[in-house]
Amino acid sequence: MGSVFGTAGRDGWRRLHPAGLIVAMVQSVKTTVSSIISLALLFRIIPEQWRDWAMWATAAAAVLIAAGRPIATWATTRYRLDEDSLTLVSGLIFRNRRTVGYDKVHAINSASPVYLQPFHVVQLTVSTEGMDESSITLDAVPAALQLELETVRARFLADGRSRGESTADGADAADAAAVAGIGSAIPATVEASGLSGVSSSERPATDGTSRGQDQGALNSGGAPVFRASATDIVLFAITDLGFLAAAFVVYGFISQLRDVLPKRWLENADQSVDRILARGLASIVMMVALCLIVLLIVSVVSSLLRSHRFEVWRRGDDLVVVRGLLTRRVTTVPVSRIQTIVIRQSVLRRPFRLCSVGLGLSSSTSGEDNGEGSLAVANILPVIGTPHVVGVLRAMLPEWDLHQPDIHRTGRGLARYYLGMPVAVGIMATGGAGAVFALLRRMSVIDISYWWLAVPLIACACWSTSRWFASRIEGFALPDGDRPEGTTRETGSIDDAGADAGAPGVPACLEDCRACVSVLPHRIAATGVRGVSCFTVFTRRSRVQSFRRSTTAWRAPLGIERVVMPLFVMNGLSELRFRFIRRADADRLACWAEQ
């Protein structure tokens, strides 16, 4: 281990930047604060003559631990860029050695907080397949290391392709060929020609200037394939349903403060709220509107801080996302590692014909940055007009060759199955609650209002609405190309003319699934509903982990089944699910997926 922990530069080993001590100090203080508080509570049982001595000893131990641990960690940490892998060694007593092969890298994420920017260093996270435990995080390294790592990795993959080796685990031969052929041939700037009507934020920029150190590291010239303007970010914030979830977080935080704040402050606040409620409906509406405005302002400010100067660059076989105001973040995603492309449209964005686009990876890209890396990948296009999203994606990811899918709606005509469970639960919940309320009132146990019966009714109404939308939206499409006999191009549905007489609606090739596989494409587009948002997901057959189909005793004679196809995706939509689907469509999906 002498060569490992020796001088910087010996045998290619490098030391972290001294600014990493700042990061380690902050993390160490966070871990020792709880221990200090616990020790402080023990002072009450210590005799008074020993209390001062114990306090000073505790303070000295806290300083020693908070300062000694970061110094020991920094002094014993080394990393090295080998020809085929990145290696990290650390530890004073327990020495750990971690190696990540370049062909296993799924994303490279760097964060440059304000306190590291004067030193021109970043926190670098190299994510591999799986959870964060399989990733490597370098707390403080030169900003140019990310570009150097990407260059070494690209050279290794190019050498592997020249030798005919497989460098993309889980990708089929067609996908690897597409990445090798198209991805390496396109320039750093992808021109999105023919996108008439696209706003300036959706059209690739034409200026070749580099703005800031991060842009200079990306390209000395060229332009991003997507740039979000301030208007786009504001639209993303005010149409994002996340601000409603923030309201519950704020409410929980205020509830916890009630045990800490002075009692007189709480009484004054309660009296103020009671006075507003006593003034009538108009005052209540104004108070609710004021709260929503405050939440929207907070959402807009936080979105501007996270997504300031949001840009997506194409560099060889990689997508590079750059964003952030106070903390600049650069996330590099190899195109060959993209598992899914998901287009989402929430209920607030639907009237404005807006949507967002995210990428699914088989790894978590958050590292030590509180999920910010995953957030960048989950919103590769934060907000964009629905008429232009496919064109921009074709310019950004030509390997996927995306087209507007002709979706075959598998839930059409099956709404009764979708609504059966919500309606039944709603009737039982409302009836049961009404019986309990009546019994309690009759026994004079509690005088409860029947208005509370609206709670299960509203909950089941929301559930039923979501299920009804799912029955209208769920479906799939196999892209244009060779199709099995008996399918139509417009909808992808099965035509009766090509069906077997003994099994209506089923193509004859399903009798021998092996023969059917040769004409079925290897990609799929699927639509569905999650809560109040609908989505369209594009993926490949090689990304499907398994195929599960199930039914019940009373639905089996009717040919109605449920189909689930899990996807190995760690940061987004992880399965293709069809709640209710006809057996003919399930057979076709099984024929496509199980080969």
Side-chain angles (χ1 to χ4, degrees):
M1 298 298 293
S3 61
V4 173
F5 298 112
T7 337
R10 183 184 301 178
D11 296 332
W13 291 100
R14 311 182 191 183
R15 188 192 298 268
L16 297 178
H17 192 277
L21 290 171
I22 301 176
V23 182
M25 286 284 187
V26 173
Q27 296 174 352
S28 181
V29 168
K30 290 180 180 179
T31 57
T32 56
V33 164
S34 58
S35 301
I36 294 175
I37 294 176
S38 301
L39 291 174
L41 296 177
L42 296 177
F43 289 158
R44 297 183 178 182
I45 62 175
I46 297 177
E48 187 173 353
Q49 62 271 23
W50 297 94
R51 189 168 299 173
D52 293 340
W53 179 87
M55 184 176 299
W56 283 106
T58 302
V63 171
L64 182 62
I65 295 174
R69 183 188 301 173
I71 294 175
T73 301
W74 175 83
T76 58
T77 300
R78 300 287 189 277
Y79 66 95
R80 184 174 66 184
L81 272 64
D82 298 318
E83 293 182 358
D84 58 350
S85 62
L86 169 67
T87 303
L88 173 70
V89 293
S90 61
L92 179 61
I93 300 177
F94 301 98
R95 293 184 173 89
N96 300 314
R97 184 186 184 99
R98 303 177 64 183
T99 300
V100 172
Y102 296 139
D103 58 335
K104 304 298 182 182
V105 174
H106 280 239
I108 303 174
N109 183 62
S110 68
S112 179
V114 175
Y115 53 85
L116 291 182
Q117 290 177 5
F119 306 99
H120 304 293
V121 297
V122 298
Q123 292 178 269
L124 191 67
T125 300
V126 180
S127 301
T128 60
E129 191 174 56
M131 300 298 292
D132 292 342
E133 290 77 6
S134 60
S135 304
I136 286 181
T137 298
L138 304 175
D139 287 332
V141 293
L145 180 66
Q146 182 170 3
L147 185 59
E148 180 184 357
L149 177 59
E150 294 170 9
T151 304
V152 175
R153 174 185 167 274
R155 187 185 305 118
F156 171 78
L157 295 181
D159 293 342
R161 284 195 292 262
S162 65
R163 294 191 303 266
E165 299 174 358
S166 174
T167 57
D169 294 341
D172 53 26
D175 300 336
V179 174
I182 302 177
S184 59
I186 64 174
T189 303
V190 180
E191 295 294 340
S193 58
L195 299 182
S196 57
V198 183
S199 65
S200 59
S201 63
E202 297 167 358
R203 188 188 301 113
T206 56
D207 60 282
T209 59
S210 61
R211 300 178 302 163
Q213 179 184 356
D214 48 6
Q215 300 304 327
L218 291 177
N219 282 300
S220 57
V225 294
F226 177 82
R227 176 180 294 158
S229 66
T231 304
D232 295 332
I233 299 173
V234 172
L235 280 175
F236 169 78
I238 63 178
T239 58
D240 186 16
L241 294 176
F243 76 91
L244 296 178
F248 292 100
V249 175
V250 172
Y251 177 77
F253 178 73
I254 294 176
S255 300
Q256 293 179 354
L257 287 181
R258 295 181 69 91
D259 299 332
V260 181
L261 295 177
K263 186 177 181 181
R264 193 172 71 178
W265 292 8
L266 298 176
E267 292 176 353
N268 293 336
D270 292 338
Q271 291 174 4
S272 300
V273 174
D274 292 339
R275 284 195 297 267
I276 294 175
L277 296 177
R279 291 178 182 175
L281 181 61
S283 298
I284 297 175
V285 172
M286 291 181 62
M287 183 179 67
V288 173
L290 180 62
C291 293
L292 289 177
I293 291 173
V294 171
L295 289 174
L296 285 176
I297 292 175
V298 173
S299 177
V300 169
V301 172
S302 62
S303 295
L304 288 174
L305 291 175
R306 290 195 308 263
S307 302
H308 176 66
R309 287 169 51 193
F310 188 103
E311 295 175 346
V312 182
W313 296 70
R314 182 61 190 260
R315 184 170 57 210
D317 292 345
D318 298 331
L319 279 182
V320 185
V321 184
V322 184
R323 66 192 182 89
L325 179 60
L326 299 179
T327 300
R328 292 297 286 171
R329 303 185 185 275
V330 181
T331 302
T332 302
V333 180
V335 174
S336 61
R337 297 303 187 182
I338 297 176
Q339 309 294 309
T340 58
I341 300 175
V342 184
I343 303 175
R344 296 183 179 87
Q345 189 177 53
S346 66
V347 67
L348 293 181
R349 292 173 182 159
R350 194 177 183 88
F352 302 101
R353 302 186 69 188
L354 298 174
C355 62
S356 61
V357 180
L359 303 180
L361 304 177
S362 58
S363 67
S364 174
T365 61
S366 58
E368 300 293 334
D369 58 357
N370 298 323
E372 293 291 341
S374 294
L375 184 62
V377 178
N379 295 295
I380 195 75
L381 299 180
V383 63
I384 188 173
T386 53
H388 316 303
V389 60
V390 174
V392 173
L393 286 174
R394 284 175 59 84
M396 183 182 296
L397 297 168
E399 298 88 351
W400 283 72
D401 190 27
L402 295 180
H403 295 83
Q404 192 67 35
D406 299 324
I407 300 297
H408 168 48
R409 306 294 179 181
T410 57
R412 296 290 174 90
L414 304 178
R416 62 186 183 275
Y417 298 102
Y418 284 85
L419 298 178
M421 180 66 72
V423 171
V425 171
I427 294 175
M428 290 188 295
T430 305
V436 172
F437 290 172
L439 180 62
L440 294 177
R441 290 171 65 93
R442 185 179 183 86
M443 298 176 60
S444 300
V445 175
I446 184 173
D447 188 13
I448 190 169
S449 175
Y450 283 107
W451 283 105
W452 285 102
L453 293 178
V455 175
L457 285 176
I458 294 175
C460 292
C462 295
W463 187 10
S464 300
T465 302
S466 177
R467 282 294 193 96
W468 183 81
F469 275 117
S471 70
R472 305 291 298 174
I473 292 176
E474 280 189 2
F476 68 91
L478 301 178
D480 291 336
D482 295 329
R483 293 177 180 269
E485 296 181 2
T487 61
T488 62
R489 183 187 184 278
E490 289 75 18
T491 62
S493 60
I494 296 175
D495 191 354
D496 292 338
D500 181 70
V506 182
C509 69
L510 287 178
E511 295 180 0
D512 185 2
C513 201
R514 297 288 181 181
C516 182
V517 171
S518 61
V519 295
L520 286 179
H522 70 283
R523 300 188 185 184
I524 188 174
T527 57
V529 173
R530 269 196 170 185
V532 293
S533 299
C534 57
F535 63 86
T536 301
V537 56
F538 299 87
T539 188
R540 300 183 174 101
R541 180 167 52 211
S542 59
R543 273 57 171 171
V544 176
Q545 301 299 301
S546 62
F547 188 90
R548 300 200 302 263
R549 55 195 299 181
S550 59
T551 186
T552 59
W554 55 89
R555 286 199 293 262
L558 302 175
I560 306 300
E561 300 183 2
R562 173 188 176 91
V563 169
V564 178
M565 291 185 284
L567 307 172
F568 188 26
V569 176
M570 305 297 295
N571 65 322
L573 189 70
S574 59
E575 65 179 13
L576 303 181
R577 180 177 58 182
F578 303 90
R579 292 179 178 88
F580 300 98
I581 186 173
R582 293 178 175 87
R583 183 171 294 126
D585 293 329
D587 288 339
R588 185 180 174 196
L589 285 174
C591 178
W592 173 85
E594 293 180 346
Q595 303 301 318

